[in-house]
Amino acid sequence: MKDRVNLAPVIAVDGPAASGKGTIARALADRFGLPHMDTGLLYRAVALNLWRWGGDAGNEFEALRACDDLGFDPGDPELRSEPVSKIASMISAYPSVRTALLKRQQDFAAQPGGAVLDGRDIGTVIAPHADVKLFVTASAEVRAQRRLKELLQRSMNAHYDDVLADIHARDERDAGREVAPLQAAGDAITLDTSDLDADGAISAAIRLVEERLKQSA
Ligand code: DC
């Protein structure tokens, strides 16, 4: 982007659940010395508030109230629990919730020191002028295997068929909502990680980002 030419880059990393986008975004931030924001955590923080209050995820007004307090501990294991993941996916469809979380993300993306943000709508809504946009994807089956492994490692009781059904349901909600649905920006580079392990996906992402930055230099 021309008017950012002298600034550190903004890198947008979008993709569906368990595609590897979080791992990739953290590695890119590390490699290029940029601050990183996992925007899914904001939606998860709202979901956790709502869950703790016993609020109704089917009610947009209650979900919006849960945006009032966004002080959360990123290490809280409940943020990544299955009920909170499901509620996060539900409340992220509400336009008022998305608006309430918008400024925090846009401000992060506008830092002069550059930034890496990962989520669903970074390249399309939050940072449409990002210098590099990656759309990280993988087959639903591979993503379900990864999620299952992660749950079992955390000693949680889980079955492949349930995890796969949950991935399909989440994909449908994230891609089917009217506001800021999950979709690749027109100028995003797609990285399919189905056949890659974490190291392979990180190396491929670094290569793609370096190439794109070189082209725009
Ligand atoms: O990336 P994640 O799985 O932690 O995100 C949790 C939920 O938040 C996900 O179901 C969709 C939503 N989300 C979103 O709508 N937009 C974002 N930029 C990030 C997450």
Side-chain angles (χ1 to χ4, degrees):
M1 213 205 127
K2 293 284 170 283
D3 55 344
R4 286 195 52 88
V5 92
N6 293 319
L7 302 176
V10 174
I11 303 174
V13 184
D14 289 304
S19 57
K21 65 182 186 314
T23 304
I24 287 174
R26 276 190 300 277
L28 289 174
D30 196 39
R31 171 72 178 77
F32 296 98
L34 299 168
H36 167 234
M37 178 184 260
D38 170 358
T39 63
L41 276 184
L42 296 177
Y43 292 90
R44 288 174 180 274
V46 173
L48 183 57
N49 280 346
L50 197 64
W51 190 54
R52 285 194 174 139
W53 298 345
D56 176 8
N59 180 315
E60 181 167 358
F61 183 70
E62 288 189 26
L64 181 59
R65 269 189 44 208
C67 298
D68 285 349
D69 175 14
L70 281 178
F72 62 93
D73 167 12
D76 186 339
E78 288 201 318
L79 282 170
R80 291 174 181 82
S81 67
E82 282 311 289
V84 168
S85 301
K86 183 165 179 215
I87 297 169
S89 172
M90 289 171 75
I91 56 98
S92 65
Y94 295 136
S96 61
V97 168
R98 302 201 72 83
T99 303
L101 302 182
L102 191 69
K103 189 172 181 307
R104 194 160 158 154
Q105 298 172 78
Q106 286 179 331
D107 286 350
F108 194 89
Q111 296 175 81
V116 180
L117 292 92
D118 74 88
R120 303 290 192 287
D121 62 341
I122 308 304
T124 51
V125 176
I126 303 297
H129 302 302
D131 301 271
V132 188
K133 299 178 185 176
L134 291 186
F135 190 80
V136 182
T137 185
S139 72
E141 290 73 19
V142 167
R143 291 185 286 127
Q145 287 290 3
R146 288 180 188 160
R147 182 51 50 89
L148 180 68
K149 196 171 153 201
E150 194 186 303
L151 291 170
L152 295 177
Q153 273 168 355
R154 284 195 267 143
S155 309
M156 291 169 95
N157 193 12
H159 300 281
Y160 175 76
D161 289 347
D162 297 337
V163 177
L164 181 62
D166 184 60
I167 290 264
H168 279 306
R170 203 120 66 92
D171 282 355
E172 245 164 70
R173 273 197 301 270
D174 291 351
R177 67 179 175 230
E178 285 185 17
V179 190
L182 169 68
Q183 62 181 34
D187 51 351
I189 312 164
T190 296
L191 173 58
D192 189 327
T193 65
S194 301
D195 298 323
L196 299 174
D197 61 11
D199 286 347
I202 289 168
S203 309
I206 290 175
R207 217 172 30 246
L208 290 171
V209 170
E210 281 175 346
E211 275 168 19
R212 183 55 66 96
L213 289 176
K214 231 182 272 163
Q215 281 164 11
S216 56

